[in-house]
Amino acid sequence: MHKATFFAGTLSFTIVPHGPILVKAGESSGADPTLPDMRFVRSQGKIYIPGPSLKGVVRAQAERICRSLDSELLQQQKQHVREEAFGKNEPLIPLADNPLGKGTEYQGLADISYSSGRAIEEIKRDSTTDYTATVYRRSSFVSQIFGHTSLAGRVRFADAYDKDFKMEYIEERNGVAIDRVYGSAIRGGLFNYEVVVGGSFRSQIHFENLTLAQLGLLGLALRDVADGRVGIGFGKSRGLGQVSVTFESMELRYPTCELQEQHLKLLNGQTICTEHEFAGLGAFCASEAYRSYALPKEDLAPLPEKIKYQNDMFLGVQLTALGDAQVRNMWRACMPAWKRELGL
């Protein structure tokens, strides 16, 4: 399924620090006494926020949301449906797994030991099963979006740069290490670190082949970052890392489709949805060939107002949401699909 692109998108956004932030560089300052002990990460002398750092923040928040909403009853219901379709060997799979878990063992949500990557390693390849589909189906909901050791992620985060960054946005601050037993300063525990207190960092998120429920969870996690509920970088418990995010645009592309007779259709003529509906991956994979992926059968949602399909000038169809309000409306359109994933 993932060898083809049915549905892809690009989200453009701007990150603005609300107070000091520090995304630490991996290397130390070395023997140069003029440099702070902790420096902001740089590329060719320019400060930036790495894409993997942003992805880690968003994934961690997505996992937090899933662990808050998951339930034993929900997973038992899902397992029952999978067992009817694919046999009795289907395990209980939480919405977000434990990366330190040992495999398919499941002690309940209070002690999750399921790890998608390790569980897939236990599957034996044979000619009677669709290995690729099994890898996807037996991955947790979050891992289906962000990936694991046996499954590539469907979301890519670009590095965030500020083209007009000024050196006056950089400050140096001092700190001291505290003894956790006595509560006093550790002898020789003084250190200094570099923070950024201004500027605006622009970045993009590229995604493909997501269901509406997966897109909805991604939107929830990004909303929490945008609204300042989740910090980024070092020292969040010290008050660092507070940012706001403004969504500039979201462009969704359907490269295998065309707009005909007020419907979105594949190039072979198959109808996907009306021009007033928003289609996720499940709408393109309803045939028997994709049954083993266990995708949602109904993966459509009403399009928000003022957002319309347009034929691409080359090939395919696209949707464009401009401005923070329209992008958030696209996230809201995915919420019914996300609620269905939770059994609500």
Side-chain angles (χ1 to χ4, degrees), residues 79-274:
Q79 183 193 35
H80 179 68
V81 172
R82 289 196 303 269
E83 284 181 343
E84 287 186 342
F86 308 112
K88 294 295 183 180
N89 294 325
E90 292 296 307
L92 275 166
I93 304 173
L95 293 176
D97 50 21
N98 180 1
L100 301 178
K102 298 181 180 179
T104 57
E105 298 177 6
Y106 190 95
Q107 306 297 331
L109 294 178
D111 185 21
I112 296 173
S113 58
Y114 187 89
S115 169
S116 296
R118 290 181 174 85
I120 299 306
E121 292 173 0
E122 298 175 7
I123 299 176
K124 296 181 179 180
R125 295 184 184 232
D126 59 65
S127 58
T128 62
T129 60
D130 187 340
Y131 180 76
T132 303
T134 303
V135 168
Y136 181 84
R137 188 178 70 245
R138 293 194 180 180
S139 298
S140 69
F141 189 79
V142 173
S143 291
Q144 289 176 352
I145 304 172
F146 295 95
H148 54 73
T149 53
S150 299
L151 180 68
R154 310 301 160 197
V155 182
R156 294 179 290 114
F157 288 69
D159 295 338
Y161 288 92
D162 186 341
K163 294 182 178 179
D164 301 318
F165 189 82
K166 301 177 182 178
M167 293 303 296
E168 64 192 54
Y169 296 151
I170 301 177
E171 293 182 359
E172 187 174 315
R173 300 194 175 188
N174 297 317
V176 60
I178 301 297
D179 190 300
R180 295 295 183 249
V181 177
Y182 297 102
S184 58
I186 297 176
R187 184 176 181 180
L190 292 173
F191 63 92
N192 55 357
Y193 53 95
E194 189 177 60
V195 296
V196 169
V197 296
S200 58
F201 297 84
R202 301 189 64 185
S203 183
Q204 289 184 327
I205 299 173
H206 304 279
F207 52 88
E208 65 177 23
N209 288 352
L210 295 181
T211 66
L212 294 186
Q214 292 169 349
L215 192 59
L217 175 60
L218 180 62
L220 283 174
L222 287 168
R223 178 208 61 181
D224 290 343
V225 177
D227 294 345
R229 301 188 185 102
V230 180
I232 65 173
F234 166 81
K236 291 184 282 292
S237 62
R238 299 169 179 259
L240 277 66
Q242 293 300 305
V243 300
S244 64
V245 178
T246 301
F247 302 118
E248 297 174 356
S249 66
M250 180 191 288
E251 181 181 314
L252 305 176
R253 300 176 296 278
Y254 299 87
T256 62
C257 293
E258 57 184 351
L259 198 59
Q260 285 188 355
E261 301 173 349
Q262 299 181 329
H263 285 77
L264 185 68
K265 296 184 177 182
L266 293 176
L267 297 178
N268 62 10
Q270 177 185 340
T271 299
I272 299 298
C273 63
T274 70

Side-chain angles (χ1 to χ4, degrees), residues 41-79:
V41 65
R42 285 170 168 79
S43 174
Q44 298 180 344
K46 296 182 179 180
I47 280 178
Y48 75 104
I49 302 175
S53 296
L54 295 174
K55 182 177 181 180
V57 170
V58 175
R59 177 170 188 158
Q61 182 61 13
E63 290 177 337
R64 191 175 294 113
I65 292 170
C66 285
R67 293 190 182 110
S68 300
L69 298 173
D70 207 351
S71 68
E72 297 285 354
L73 178 59
L74 173 64
Q75 296 313 326
Q76 290 172 1
Q77 291 173 343
K78 289 186 174 183
Q79 183 193 35

Side-chain angles (χ1 to χ4, degrees), residues 305-326:
E305 295 182 2
K306 300 181 181 180
I307 299 178
K308 298 181 180 180
Y309 287 105
Q310 292 182 335
N311 284 313
D312 189 272
M313 64 176 64
F314 296 103
L315 186 67
V317 177
Q318 65 181 24
L319 285 170
T320 303
L322 297 175
D324 192 87
Q326 285 195 355

